[in-house]
Structure formats: structure tokens, C-alpha cells
Amino acid sequence: MTPKQVLEMAKENEAKVVDLRFLDFPGVWQHFTVPISELDESSFEDGFGFDGSSIRGWQPIHASDMLVIPDPATAKMDPFFEVPTLVLIGDIADPLTREPYSRDPRYIAKKAELFLKGSGIGDTAYIGPEAEFFIFDNVRFESSTNMAFYEVDSVEGIWNSGREECPNLGYKPRHKQGYFPVPPTDKFQDLRTQMLLTLEKLGIDVECQHHEVATAGQAEIDMRFKPLLQMGDQLMWFKYVLKNVAQRDNRTVTFMPKPLYGDNGTGMHTHISIWKDEEPIFAGDKYAGVSQEALYGIGGILKHCGALCALTNPTTNSYKRLVPGFEAPVNLAYSSRNRSAAIRIPMYSASPKAKRLEFRTPDPSCNGYLAFSAILMAVLDGIENKIDPGEPLDKDIYGLPPEELANIPSAPGSLEEALAALKEDHAFLLKGDVFTQDVIDTWIEYKTKNEVNPIKLRPHPHEFFLYFDI
């Protein structure tokens, strides 16, 4: 879409204001709104000014002025605002040099796509994330000097089987038995369909929606694969739509990886394939019908998985899900069909166009632009350096004897471990200036200062249960 077409779209939809959106460093959408009279064709070059010092992980106060330059290709009408509102996702630039801002996650995704094309390996990376989430009826939490607690609740929660609900009609999914039940056990069918239809109204292709394994409203809605930058944009719309559809129904959605103890956490299995001249390069005659390039790509992900986790699983809560011996794929192996491996080669279709890699470790707390870019860079590093992934593991990893399991490496056990791995292993991310050293250093510093250390310093409620009487 051209700037002129965007203005025509705004007029056709009687837009009164323009909402400009961009991502902070950790990965949360930010926005501000201007009257539609402020938008003309020159706006798509001149941009709009804002204070970058107030955005997490960005500019210091003495260099705070920044520009957001709207991308006309991202134009959509907001489905929730009372006043007709045109939404444009923007790229961030320095107002003096007009250079793109190196810490802008969307710019990093753009550079990753350019690096792929420059490598000669392919021209398009398709990404398909399966973002899971929970739908809750209520959430309460507090963390202060002398008190810390959280409480979530759901009409579906199995813990409410004995609650007086006037009447309690039962039909609450048991722990780990929430996969695909029909109503009345599945109480959120209509709500998920409203989410799906809202996404489709925005032009986002959806493949399916369903209940997920855990009790208490765990769910999944799958978007059809798209090129990397486009999927980064779509993931932001995805989170925005789900949260707002839920709130309209007086419910809340969270993409927190592990909000419940004793049941499945929330992952984001991420599919990736590379195409060149409209042909898939991952289809071939090797294991599970993939090419040698695909196997090398697997080798790249397995080699760099520790560093990748700092970006694909970037919260301390992520590692409540990534615990060896439980449901999450922490063991660094690959397989066809075997969902206990960190990398799976889906076997739903024999079509060469369907050949792809499924990296099962990530979760939806990530900044999609950074996570998808990092995964692509690991795959490309594997292909360029012909990294051998070893033999596939077509066994139930969780059922292996201890001596055999000990030979299989594992993903990091904490965010601190993942950040340490990123500090030691990030040269593959710096290729083509896709990620800069400043981005890597700032990410590690921000996460350590604002997340790792605050969690370290606070007593955990369960520690009182364990230790108060010692």
C-alpha cells in the first residue's frame, strides 16, 4: 500500500485520528495518537517526533528526541476504539541523522531479511508461530517489602470443582486433560472464535483455534505462516486483539509462560522455512524428507540454542516451563513426529512446500521481531558452516534411561544462564550488522538489572512454606 492509498483508505473508513505504534525494547506495543489532519503523504518520510527516553531500554534523557516513521504497508483500522482510528506501525529513526535506530526491534527484523537475501541461501524466511495463552476471569498480585502473592481464577479451573457457584455445573477440565474437549467443558469456544474473526477482519490469516492441554482456559490460535517481518507485525496485532476481545467479555488474557503450578505452561512452537525463487530449500531426500540445508539449519539452532533462549524465552518465568523431565522440550535433539524433541520436523503433509523446522522451545513472552530474527540467523549460521546436527532421536526422550539421557544436552535452566550463553555466543547474530554489539549488551544489561536481580532479591512465598520453622 502506498501513502496515497493509505490516505484514501482513511477517507473511505471515515478515520478521525491516526494511532502510531511501535515496540519498546522488551517487546510491548507503545502508541500515541494524532488527528487525521496531521497525516499527509509527506508524513511517511518526515515521521512524528516523540520522547525516546521514556521507552524501556532506549535513549538516555540527554538524547531523547526520536522519530517514528509510519510504514504504509501496515495500515489497518482499529477494531476496538470508539472513534474510527487508522493504525500505522512505525519504524524508529534518529531525528538528526535520519538513520534507523539500532535498538528498534522492527529494524533488526528488516536487517535479518536483507541478510538472508544477501547470503544467497534464500530470499524469503517464512515464520509460523503457535502462540498459546490463558484466558482468566480474575487476576490479583502484589510484590512489596513485607508481602508477595498472586492469585488467578477461571470458571474452568479444576480447583473450582467444589466452589459454590449457584449452581456449580461442573465440566471443568482436569489438569493436563484440556486438549480438544467440546462444550460445555470447553467454555471459551465462542470467545476464541470472536478472536479468530477479529484477526481475519484485520487481514490476518488464521488456520485454527482450540483449547489447549491445561485446565483454566489455556488456548491456542494459529496464524498462517508469513514472511518474517510481516509475522513480527502480526504477532503484535495477535496479542493486542486477544487481550482486547477478552477484556470486552470481562476476562483477561496472558501470554505469561507459566502462570499455573502443576499444569502445562504456555509455549510458542515456531515453524521456519526458507525459500529461494519461490521454491522451498528445506525439501529433499534426507531424513524425514528434508534437504541437507535443513539438517544444517537444525545444527545451527541446536548449537546456538542457549544464546537463542535469551531472546526466545526472555523472562524468568519462561524457565518455570523449561524444566527437564516435564512437558516442555528442553532436550536439544531433533526428530520427526516426536514432540519431546526441541526441534521437530512436522509430518502432516508430504508436499515439499510443507517442509519446515519446528523449534519447540520458544514461548510467547518474547519480542517476536528479535526472536524470529535470531532463529533465522542461527539457521543461516548452520547452513553456512555446515553444522552437523548429529543423528535424530526418534525415541520418547522422557522415557530414556538416565545414562542415555545424560548424553543429550539441555536448554538453559534459568534466564541468567541464557543471558550468560548469549554473552559468550553471539557472533552469529552480529553478521551483516543484523544485531549490533550495543543491542546484545543492552539486552543483557536490561534483563539482568530489571528482571534477574529483582527476582533474586525477593523471598518467594513457597520459601515460607519450606523454611519458616527451621
Side-chain angles (χ1 to χ4, degrees):
M1 191 177 292
T2 65
K4 183 177 180 181
Q5 290 172 324
V6 172
L7 296 175
E8 291 171 353
M9 173 187 171
K11 185 175 181 180
E12 289 171 7
N13 288 277
E14 299 181 344
K16 299 292 190 293
V17 294
V18 182
D19 205 48
L20 298 156
R21 299 186 185 176
F22 56 93
L23 222 62
D24 67 8
F25 204 43
V28 175
W29 240 358
Q30 312 293 310
H31 79 131
F32 63 91
T33 306
V34 301
I36 194 68
S37 58
E38 291 293 307
L39 185 73
D40 55 33
E41 290 191 48
S42 66
S43 302
F44 295 89
E45 291 185 6
D46 298 339
F48 296 85
F50 70 98
D51 176 8
S53 68
S54 298
I55 305 300
R56 295 186 300 171
W58 277 18
Q59 292 291 85
I61 192 71
H62 63 272
S64 60
D65 289 347
M66 306 202 77
L67 289 176
V68 56
I69 301 175
D71 182 344
T74 66
K76 297 183 187 295
M77 293 299 295
D78 189 277
F80 302 106
F81 291 165
E82 180 180 346
V83 174
T85 301
L86 175 70
V87 177
L88 292 165
I89 300 175
D91 297 309
I92 310 304
D94 185 291
L96 299 179
T97 66
R98 310 291 299 186
E99 291 293 317
Y101 184 44
S102 63
R103 295 184 193 174
D104 177 11
R106 198 166 189 266
Y107 178 48
I108 292 171
K110 284 186 171 184
K111 289 190 290 183
E113 289 190 323
L114 287 173
F115 181 75
L116 169 62
K117 292 175 183 177
S119 71
I121 293 171
D123 47 48
T124 307
Y126 287 107
I127 303 291
E130 300 176 9
E132 298 170 345
F133 55 97
F134 275 90
I135 303 168
F136 291 135
D137 297 324
N138 192 53
V139 56
R140 298 168 57 238
F141 52 87
E142 185 169 342
S143 179
S144 59
T145 299
N146 67 320
M147 180 173 65
F149 79 92
Y150 71 89
E151 181 181 2
V152 296
D153 206 1
S154 168
V155 67
E156 273 198 1
I158 188 61
W159 57 82
N160 285 325
S161 61
R163 181 173 68 176
E164 181 55 66
E165 295 180 348
C166 302
N168 188 327
L169 301 178
Y171 297 111
K172 302 180 192 299
R174 301 174 187 87
H175 290 298
K176 301 183 182 294
Q177 294 185 29
Y179 199 60
F180 285 14
V182 297
T185 301
D186 178 1
K187 294 177 172 55
F188 299 117
Q189 167 67 17
D190 289 339
L191 185 61
R192 293 194 309 270
T193 295
Q194 286 302 314
M195 294 169 175
L196 180 157
L197 293 175
T198 305
L199 289 167
E200 287 196 321
K201 186 178 178 181
L202 288 163
I204 295 172
D205 297 326
V206 178
E207 294 184 334
C208 70
Q209 61 93 342
H210 59 83
H211 206 289
E212 257 297 338
V213 173
T215 188
Q218 191 183 37
E220 179 175 314
I221 300 177
D222 294 336
M223 293 180 282
R224 186 173 296 278
F225 62 89
K226 295 293 178 184
L228 189 152
L229 178 66
Q230 185 178 349
M231 185 52 76
D233 291 341
Q234 285 193 180
L235 184 60
M236 299 314 301
W237 273 110
F238 181 88
K239 292 183 176 182
Y240 176 75
V241 165
L242 269 57
K243 290 175 181 178
N244 280 281
V245 170
Q247 179 154 307
R248 194 168 58 190
D249 197 52
N250 204 30
R251 289 189 163 90
T252 187
V253 157
T254 181
F255 294 94
M256 187 175 174
K258 191 73 174 181
L260 297 182
Y261 165 70
D263 213 333
N264 279 38
T266 288
M268 189 177 74
H269 306 152
T270 300
H271 299 250
I272 182 170
S273 63
I274 296 176
W275 289 52
K276 184 176 184 179
D277 299 327
E278 299 184 357
E279 292 293 330
I281 74 164
F282 282 176
D285 59 0
K286 303 297 182 181
Y287 172 79
V290 300
S291 64
Q292 184 63 60
E293 288 83 0
L295 292 176
Y296 288 147
I298 291 171
I301 294 177
L302 294 178
K303 176 180 178 181
H304 299 299
C305 187
L308 288 178
C309 283
L311 297 163
T312 62
N313 304 80
T315 69
T316 59
N317 185 254
S318 297
Y319 298 87
K320 302 293 193 296
R321 168 180 170 259
L322 297 181
V323 178
F326 292 87
E327 82 277 0
V330 299
N331 296 290
L332 303 186
Y334 73 99
S335 175
S336 66
R337 306 184 69 179
N338 187 347
R339 294 169 186 266
S340 62
I343 300 175
R344 188 174 74 98
I345 301 169
M347 301 299 289
Y348 296 123
S349 172
S351 169
K353 294 183 177 180
K355 287 303 174 187
R356 60 197 188 273
L357 310 181
E358 180 189 2
F359 184 26
R360 296 175 60 81
T361 306
D363 68 58
S365 70
C366 69
N367 180 326
Y369 300 104
L370 300 184
F372 302 153
S373 299
I375 293 169
L376 174 60
M377 295 302 288
V379 168
L380 294 177
D381 188 64
I383 295 171
E384 290 176 337
N385 292 293
K386 299 182 178 180
I387 299 175
D388 183 2
E391 294 299 315
L393 190 60
D394 291 325
K395 302 177 182 179
D396 178 6
I397 296 175
Y398 302 128
L400 292 178
E403 60 274 13
E404 194 170 345
L405 187 61
N407 295 323
I408 302 174
S410 183
S414 69
L415 179 57
E416 188 172 23
E417 286 182 32
L419 293 171
L422 178 62
K423 186 175 183 179
E424 295 299 318
D425 175 28
H426 58 261
F428 71 102
L429 297 172
L430 301 180
K431 292 179 181 177
D433 201 38
V434 174
F435 289 77
T436 64
Q437 189 65 51
D438 170 70
V439 165
I440 300 297
D441 293 342
T442 303
W443 185 262
I444 293 171
E445 179 185 4
Y446 180 90
K447 287 287 175 177
T448 302
K449 178 181 177 181
N450 294 284
E451 298 176 34
V452 172
N453 288 344
I455 290 294
K456 276 183 171 183
L457 290 167
R458 283 164 171 78
H460 189 286
H462 197 65
E463 291 177 316
F464 282 81
F465 176 84
L466 293 172
Y467 306 127
F468 187 77
D469 61 347
I470 59 174

